[in-house]
Amino acid sequence: MIPFVDLRAQYLSIKPEVDAAVLKVLDSTQFVLGPEVKAFEEMFSAYCQTREAIGVNTGTSALHLALLAIGVGPGDEVITTPFTFIATVSAIVYTGARPVLVDIDPATLTIDPALIEAAITSRTKAILPVHLYGQPAEMDAIMDIAKRHGIAVIEDAAQAHGAEYRGRRVGSIGDAGCFSFYPGKNLGAYGEGGAVTTDAPEIARKVRMLRDWGAERKYLHELKGFNFRLEGVQGAVLKVKMSHIERWTEARRGCAAYYDRRLAALVRTQSVPAHVRHVYHIYAIRHPHRDALQAALQAKGIATGIHYPVPVHLQPCFADLGYGAGAFPHAEGAAKEVLSLPLYPELETSAQDVVMAALEDWLAKRAA
Ligand SMILES: *Cc1c(COP(=O)(O)O)cnc(C)c1O
């Protein structure tokens, strides 16, 4: 059996370090926020090349609070992509603003900047690009549009820790960046977690207040806040993982390059421009008979994933946004065809060989 991800392999590789760090938190009884979270925030902001990083309880909360901190609320519009995890759009809805969707570039699968300008209205407050699968969206074009229209850019970097666009780390390019530390993400906590990165002191101050009931001073609530605090144990685990993240990211990139060498000629893959550093949260291929391919791989003990089978505008819960089938042909096409292959830092070359042989075998049988 080749799993899609293997969290146990990574835990075993750092077990003594992590166990000691967790026990230290238990011993200190600093269960929520505290020194481990603060130390992690400092390491993470340095890693993202930003002045500030604010730890929160989930990636979804990071998006929600970043949007609130730049003043997004009822009556506003935020432009994003329909080809993402549902949380991107849910976070916009939580603020009371309206999500305005534009289609993806079918080659890169990230938001198509050429379609953004036509979606801008007098109500548009922000653009929310998603660095899908760990590949940065086309940020130069997005930042240029935002500057010309005087609107903000919030990066959904939940899948893209350490990814770079023209040498700059994601999360440092827009007004704020939002990260998830869900266990399966490239930097994963042992529970839930997230962070907002920013260079703007005022955004940082607001996010810090909003995550902790809108108060800078205890029991004086300036803003209507939330309980979105990061736990001490998660801060400690993430801090340990920071000293390994670059090695793990390079291992992911190595796995992707190894897949590319044999698969690029056989199937369609996400195209990766030369000016980005893709960090491969997901390695996806495309095939018109995706479901049959997935079943064939499963029959050979190879687990795969689909990210994502239903685009956000076709989710029942967002029917009220008013976009029907056919609204975003490239997102809908990708949703029907993408298949995510096993990829994690500890994945062995021999396992990748098995995956690729099974894929070649299935393609050869189809052609016969
Ligand atoms: C995982 C993810 C989120 C949400 O993060 P959580 O920590 O699960 O709340 C948001 N956007 C994208 C693109 C994601 O992959």
Side-chain angles (χ1 to χ4, degrees), residues 57-63 83-89 91 130-133 156-160 178-183 185 191-194 281 307-308:
N57 64 334
T58 66
T60 308
S61 297
L63 289 162
F83 196 54
T84 181
F85 182 57
I86 190 138
T88 312
V89 177
V130 178
H131 304 314
L132 193 78
Y133 300 163
D156 184 338
Q159 305 184 351
C178 303
F179 292 85
S180 166
F181 307 126
Y182 182 74
K185 297 285 163 81
E192 305 276 358
H281 175 57
H307 303 89
Y308 297 90

Side-chain angles (χ1 to χ4, degrees), residues 200-220:
E202 194 48 28
I203 294 175
R205 194 178 82 94
K206 281 208 175 126
V207 171
R208 244 175 244 290
M209 288 170 76
L210 288 168
R211 76 170 170 183
D212 195 9
W213 293 118
E216 249 169 351
R217 263 205 292 147
K218 207 166 183 171
Y219 303 128
L220 185 67

Side-chain angles (χ1 to χ4, degrees), residues 47 134 136 162-164 169 246 249-250 253 275-279:
Y47 183 72
E164 292 173 10
R169 286 272 157 97
E246 270 307 287
T249 300
E250 280 309 314
R253 287 168 49 76
H275 56 268
V276 307
R277 181 196 195 207
H278 193 318
V279 295

Side-chain angles (χ1 to χ4, degrees), residues 218-273:
K218 207 166 183 171
Y219 303 128
L220 185 67
H221 303 277
E222 249 178 86
L223 303 171
K224 294 188 183 79
F226 304 83
N227 175 358
F228 285 169
R229 297 173 298 230
L230 184 62
E231 295 185 346
V233 164
Q234 307 312 334
V237 170
L238 291 165
K239 204 180 104 188
V240 166
K241 286 191 165 197
M242 283 307 293
S243 47
H244 304 281
I245 181 69
E246 270 307 287
R247 178 168 57 80
W248 289 330
T249 300
E250 280 309 314
R252 285 177 180 276
R253 287 168 49 76
C255 289
Y258 193 65
Y259 274 143
D260 273 343
R261 229 177 295 155
R262 226 160 116 186
L263 297 184
L266 294 175
V267 286
R268 216 172 144 190
T269 55
Q270 184 181 25
S271 52
V272 183

Side-chain angles (χ1 to χ4, degrees), residues 21 28 42 60 76 126 138 163 186 216 228 234 242 323 351 360:
S28 75
E42 279 162 17
T60 308
D76 295 331
E138 204 40 69
N186 288 24
E216 249 169 351
F228 285 169
Q234 307 312 334
M242 283 307 293
Y323 301 109
E360 282 168 347

Side-chain angles (χ1 to χ4, degrees), residues 48-63:
C48 295
Q49 304 171 345
T50 57
R51 284 204 202 112
E52 302 258 13
I54 304 98
V56 293
N57 64 334
T58 66
T60 308
S61 297
L63 289 162

Side-chain angles (χ1 to χ4, degrees), residues 73-346:
D76 295 331
E77 294 175 355
V78 177
I79 295 173
T80 193
T81 158
F83 196 54
T84 181
F85 182 57
I86 190 138
T88 312
V89 177
S90 296
I92 297 169
V93 170
Y94 296 161
T95 68
R98 182 185 149 73
V100 172
L101 305 180
V102 307
D103 210 350
I104 53 169
D105 174 332
T108 60
L109 306 179
T110 55
I111 193 167
D112 185 347
L115 302 174
I116 291 176
E117 207 134 21
I120 293 177
T121 72
S122 58
R123 294 165 180 264
T124 307
K125 202 69 173 252
I127 306 170
L128 177 34
V130 178
H131 304 314
L132 193 78
Y133 300 163
Q135 162 146 306
E138 204 40 69
M139 293 306 290
D140 273 355
I142 293 167
M143 295 306 293
D144 177 59
I145 294 165
K147 280 207 185 83
R148 276 191 285 109
H149 291 268
I151 57 185
V153 174
I154 305 291
E155 301 172 62
D156 184 338
Q159 305 184 351
H161 318 72
E164 292 173 10
Y165 182 86
R166 297 195 194 281
R168 295 172 66 190
R169 286 272 157 97
V170 300
S172 74
I173 303 165
D175 296 84
C178 303
F179 292 85
S180 166
F181 307 126
Y182 182 74
K185 297 285 163 81
N186 288 24
L187 178 64
Y190 289 168
E192 305 276 358
V196 176
T197 55
T198 186
D199 278 334
E202 194 48 28
I203 294 175
R205 194 178 82 94
K206 281 208 175 126
V207 171
R208 244 175 244 290
M209 288 170 76
L210 288 168
R211 76 170 170 183
D212 195 9
W213 293 118
E216 249 169 351
R217 263 205 292 147
K218 207 166 183 171
Y219 303 128
L220 185 67
H221 303 277
E222 249 178 86
L223 303 171
K224 294 188 183 79
F226 304 83
N227 175 358
F228 285 169
R229 297 173 298 230
L230 184 62
E231 295 185 346
V233 164
Q234 307 312 334
V237 170
L238 291 165
K239 204 180 104 188
V240 166
K241 286 191 165 197
M242 283 307 293
S243 47
H244 304 281
I245 181 69
E246 270 307 287
R247 178 168 57 80
W248 289 330
T249 300
E250 280 309 314
R252 285 177 180 276
R253 287 168 49 76
C255 289
Y258 193 65
Y259 274 143
D260 273 343
R261 229 177 295 155
R262 226 160 116 186
L263 297 184
L266 294 175
V267 286
R268 216 172 144 190
T269 55
Q270 184 181 25
S271 52
V272 183
H275 56 268
V276 307
R277 181 196 195 207
H278 193 318
V279 295
Y280 293 98
H281 175 57
I282 300 284
Y283 184 92
I285 61 167
R286 291 181 68 156
H287 197 279
H289 299 280
R290 184 265 319 276
D291 292 343
L293 172 56
Q294 184 176 40
L297 294 176
Q298 184 64 42
K300 290 190 172 176
I302 299 163
T304 55
I306 298 173
H307 303 89
Y308 297 90
V310 180
V312 171
H313 67 289
L314 300 180
Q315 294 291 350
C317 69
F318 287 137
D320 60 350
L321 294 180
Y323 301 109
F328 305 110
H330 295 310
E332 290 167 36
K336 287 194 185 95
E337 292 190 355
V338 290
L339 184 69
S340 314
L341 301 184
L343 194 151
Y344 46 91
E346 300 77 16

